[in-house]
Amino acid sequence: MKKKSLLARFLIWRLKHVSDRQFISALGILIGFTSGLGAVVIKNSVHFISSLLQGTSDLAFANYLYMIYPTVGISVAVLFIKYIIKRPVRHGIPNVLYSISKTNGQINSHNMFSSVVTSAFTVGFGGSVGLEGPTVATGAALGSNIGRMFHLNYKHTTLLLACACTGAMAAIFKAPIAAIVFAMEVVMLDLTMWSLVPLLLASSTAVITSYFFLGMHVLYPFEVQTGFDMKDLPYYIVLGIFTGLLATYFTKMYMYIQSLFDMLSKSYLKLLIGGLSLGLIIFFFPSLYGEGYHGINASLSGDYSYLFNNSLFYSFRENFWILIILLALVIIFKVIAASITFGAGGVGGIFAPTLFMGVNAGVLFAKLTHHLGLRNIEVNNFGLIGMAGMIAGVLHAPLTGLFLIADISGGYQLFVPLMITATVSYATVKSFEPHSVYTVQLARRKELMTHDKDKNVLSLMRVTRLIEKNFSTINSEASLGDLVKVIAKSQRNLFIVVDKDNNFEGIVKLDDIREIMFQPEKYDVMFVRDLMIMPSVVIQHDESMADVARKYQYSDKFNLVVLQDGKYLGCVSRAQIFSTYRRMLKHFSED
């Protein structure tokens, strides 16, 4: 009780002395710091586990152990979720988008630590996924629960979620500008000038926290040898198309594999099949073990030994065409390995697999272009730019791809090529897949909020909250006289016909019986069943408001009946929808 009264006193004091903007700005700093700490904990946990495993591995059996390690890590994560958390640990960024769309920004408190533990074991033991998703999940859970503790409204809670995502991305990638762009492009749904202040504070605080614990070096040290050359312009465009097609493949393959695992009802079957499949892939392609960051750095420096080390192809390391084939195969199998890791029960993110595919795609493209005698283009530059193209395509976020790669590599001299390839990749993937990996499942369930303010407001409205129950009901066997008595006590001009079990049978409109309701001689000879009509349009209780709005748009109705399994619940009026929409639009857009 003491804690509650202290919090209550603080909230009262805050309302009197601290404005909303000042308070949210202060919370932005707090969330940036906690998100940065979350990133540090996750990074160090994975590094510790990975170093421990590598230090105890006999080189002669390392390949076989690397086949087993990912299954062990995923098993620990699955057991932790099943017996300790006892609730699902959802993927970070889709979970944030879902909470904004469906739960008013509320995220379960266990996500403040569960993603840290499960991702540390998943990735530390070699699961072929990244750490940015769990870091975002941890930060977002902190932001959501801080918002809940201080009783913030939906607008402020979603802003805190965006601050948490910004802080997490800034800390994990040491990319403060890209983190803000990511929040604007992927998470923030109604950005105002004022909301930039908490985002900037969260991003700068998080990256400073990351610098303090993890050092100030960039994630992928890269030295630009050759800047932008106009003669390379066609090749940047073609690389954009190539990475856009690969991004389409990424999304479709990811969804296909997830659907295969969804068909398995038992978690142990998912783990067994996923673990064996992942181990087999890693046995043939050891470079797919873990996040792949070491492989990315090696590739950017022109060292492709990571493709051959500990593999069956080591003796072919000097063969050009074997290199090309291996580049193509690791691109194809990286998304498969990542999807299997998720399907088996592992927890992680898709940034790392996307970056890994991107750098290898860029190197493959540049190597082939040079070998075929088309043009001697800079291989390392194209490896870097391929990463931007893949991020832009897979996330449907070209600005994030552009600024992230420039931020994490220090390659701002290649800003124009990054911009061209990211834009072309995004345009290409949009031609084949309208939604990103993060949003495709939400979109299919009609749970996705977008940057379209009108759609967002409609998605927040619920049919069940708009139902009006002051419409009088009557039985179909009732006489006209009985109906007149009901009309006399009603303030509505629409009357609902139901049976004794409340099953909907039709409606009677006052305008349709106005001429006969004043003829008493017909009261006992005419019945409701003869007067009622079946409306051409009704609403189901679980319909989206976008569908309801369309029904009103293409009909002349002012009130529509709401049903659940054929039973009458009430009516929804055009006026009620409009007034609620206007009120929520004002709340949603409030600056």
Side-chain angles (χ1 to χ4, degrees):
M1 291 295 291
K2 190 174 182 182
K3 285 185 179 179
K4 271 192 172 181
S5 63
L6 275 173
L7 179 60
R9 280 200 288 265
F10 171 77
L11 292 175
I12 293 169
W13 176 86
R14 198 279 291 180
L15 288 171
K16 289 181 179 178
H17 298 94
V18 182
S19 69
D20 284 345
R21 293 188 177 189
Q22 292 171 331
F23 189 57
I24 297 300
S25 296
L27 290 181
I29 296 174
L30 174 63
I31 289 171
F33 176 67
T34 53
S35 298
L37 282 181
V40 170
V41 171
I42 290 177
K43 271 278 189 184
N44 285 335
S45 299
V46 169
H47 179 72
F48 173 76
I49 293 172
S50 180
S51 300
L52 194 65
L53 294 177
Q54 290 173 9
T56 58
S57 296
D58 187 334
L59 289 176
F61 299 100
N63 226 31
Y64 297 100
L65 289 174
Y66 288 159
M67 286 178 60
I68 300 169
Y69 283 155
T71 304
V72 175
I74 295 171
S75 299
V76 175
V78 169
L79 291 172
F80 180 80
I81 293 169
K82 187 172 183 179
Y83 294 106
I84 297 179
I85 301 299
K86 298 179 181 179
R87 291 182 181 180
V89 178
R90 296 186 175 91
H91 300 311
I93 296 165
N95 192 30
V96 174
L97 297 176
Y98 176 82
S99 71
I100 292 173
S101 175
K102 289 297 178 182
T103 63
N104 290 322
Q106 303 303 316
I107 299 176
N108 289 330
S109 56
H110 73 77
N111 287 283
M112 291 188 287
F113 64 91
S114 58
S115 293
V116 175
V117 176
T118 52
S119 64
F121 282 105
T122 299
V123 182
F125 276 81
S128 197
V129 289
L131 293 173
E132 69 294 325
T135 308
V136 167
T138 303
L142 287 165
S144 173
N145 284 276
I146 288 172
R148 188 185 307 172
M149 182 174 69
F150 291 118
H151 304 288
L152 299 180
N153 60 27
Y154 173 80
K155 177 82 173 176
H156 291 152
T157 300
T158 54
L159 180 53
L160 290 189
L161 289 178
C163 287
C165 293
T166 301
M169 293 292 292
I172 201 76
F173 286 117
K174 299 180 183 176
I177 299 173
I180 295 173
V181 172
F182 172 78
M184 293 165 55
E185 223 173 6
V186 178
V187 180
M188 283 296 288
L189 303 171
D190 186 45
L191 184 68
T192 61
M193 285 302 297
W194 170 74
S195 62
L196 277 174
V197 175
L199 291 177
L200 286 164
L201 291 171
S203 183
S204 56
T205 305
V207 80
I208 289 171
T209 304
S210 181
Y211 285 160
F212 182 81
F213 289 100
L214 301 175
M216 296 183 63
H217 56 276
V218 295
L219 198 59
Y220 301 119
F222 185 82
E223 186 176 344
V224 178
Q225 301 293 338
T226 306
F228 177 54
D229 187 338
M230 282 294 292
K231 293 178 181 178
D232 291 336
L233 179 59
Y235 298 95
Y236 294 128
I237 294 173
V238 176
L239 179 62
I241 296 171
F242 180 47
T243 51
L245 293 174
L246 283 177
T248 305
Y249 161 74
F250 187 110
T251 304
K252 292 187 180 298
M253 179 57 72
Y254 175 85
M255 293 305 300
Y256 174 70
I257 292 177
Q258 293 307 301
S259 68
L260 293 180
F261 277 96
D262 288 341
M263 294 167 61
L264 301 173
S265 57
K266 303 294 185 181
S267 57
Y268 72 87
L269 280 177
K270 294 181 180 182
L271 180 60
L272 182 63
I273 295 173
L276 289 173
S277 303
L278 184 60
L280 190 64
I281 291 172
I282 290 174
F283 178 76
F284 285 104
F285 308 105
S287 59
L288 301 183
Y289 180 88
E291 295 176 277
Y293 284 140
H294 295 300
I296 294 172
N297 272 325
S299 183
L300 290 175
S301 62
D303 177 11
Y304 310 113
S305 60
Y306 66 94
L307 295 168
F308 297 93
N309 291 340
N310 300 317
S311 78
L312 302 175
F313 312 101
Y314 184 76
S315 58
F316 301 99
R317 60 189 181 281
E318 302 298 331
N319 188 303
F320 173 80
W321 286 109
I322 295 297
L323 171 64
I324 294 298
I325 292 170
L326 273 181
L327 284 169
L329 288 175
V330 297
I331 292 169
I332 292 169
F333 278 98
K334 183 61 178 180
V335 64
I336 297 174
S339 302
I340 290 173
T341 303
F342 289 127
V347 176
I350 65 167
F351 265 84
T354 304
L355 293 172
F356 185 86
M357 288 178 65
V359 72
N360 285 293
V363 169
L364 174 64
F365 177 82
K367 288 278 187 184
L368 282 175
T369 300
H370 175 61
H371 188 78
L372 295 174
L374 298 175
R375 180 167 171 76
N376 186 15
I377 55 181
E378 180 63 42
V379 176
N380 294 350
N381 286 2
F382 273 75
L384 186 74
I385 295 164
M387 294 161 70
M390 281 301 294
I391 288 289
V394 172
L395 273 63
H396 286 211
L399 290 175
T400 299
L402 166 64
F403 284 99
L404 180 66
I405 302 308
D407 254 3
I408 64 180
S409 66
Y412 276 93
Q413 291 171 269
L414 296 173
F415 206 78
V416 173
L418 288 168
M419 185 184 301
I420 294 168
T421 299
T423 304
V424 173
S425 176
Y426 173 70
T428 302
V429 75
K430 286 289 282 185
S431 302
F432 298 97
E433 181 55 63
H435 301 289
S436 72
V437 169
Y438 291 143
T439 62
V440 63
Q441 290 179 315
L442 295 176
R444 289 178 182 178
R445 298 197 301 262
K446 297 184 178 180
E447 295 172 347
L448 175 65
M449 295 182 71
T450 68
H451 292 272
D452 187 323
K453 194 182 299 182
D454 179 67
K455 289 182 179 179
N456 292 339
V457 173
L458 287 175
S459 71
L460 290 171
M461 296 169 65
R462 302 288 182 271
V463 169
T464 51
R465 296 177 187 172
L466 300 174
I467 292 177
E468 300 176 46
K469 297 182 178 292
N470 60 342
F471 288 81
S472 300
T473 60
I474 192 167
N475 191 277
S476 61
E477 298 302 318
S479 65
L480 175 60
D482 295 328
L483 178 59
V484 170
K485 292 177 183 178
V486 171
I487 292 172
K489 297 177 181 179
S490 176
Q491 298 178 340
R492 297 284 192 170
N493 61 0
L494 185 68
F495 304 92
I496 313 301
V497 183
V498 295
D499 65 13
K500 58 187 173 95
D501 296 320
N502 200 43
N503 291 305
F504 177 71
E505 295 187 329
I507 60 172
V508 176
K509 294 191 290 186
L510 183 62
D511 288 344
D512 292 345
I513 63 167
R514 199 180 300 277
E515 292 183 3
I516 61 172
M517 63 182 291
F518 297 110
Q519 301 176 24
E521 66 276 11
K522 294 183 178 181
Y523 282 3
D524 295 324
V525 296
M526 296 192 71
F527 297 90
V528 171
R529 64 175 179 268
D530 305 316
L531 304 171
M532 71 181 188
I533 60 172
M534 181 58 70
S536 58
V537 182
V538 296
I539 299 172
Q540 300 301 322
H541 77 289
D542 55 354
E543 277 192 69
S544 69
M545 283 308 303
D547 291 337
V548 173
R550 275 191 290 271
K551 287 183 176 181
Y552 272 109
Q553 181 180 356
Y554 295 110
S555 72
D556 58 351
K557 311 299 181 187
F558 289 94
N559 298 286
L560 291 178
V561 173
V562 182
L563 304 179
Q564 181 176 1
D565 299 325
K567 295 188 181 296
Y568 169 72
L569 296 182
C571 292
V572 172
S573 69
R574 187 189 291 261
Q576 175 77 345
I577 291 175
F578 182 74
S579 62
T580 303
Y581 174 86
R582 290 294 302 167
R583 185 174 65 253
M584 292 188 70
L585 183 64
K586 181 180 178 182
H587 167 71
F588 195 88
S589 304
E590 187 180 21
D591 193 355

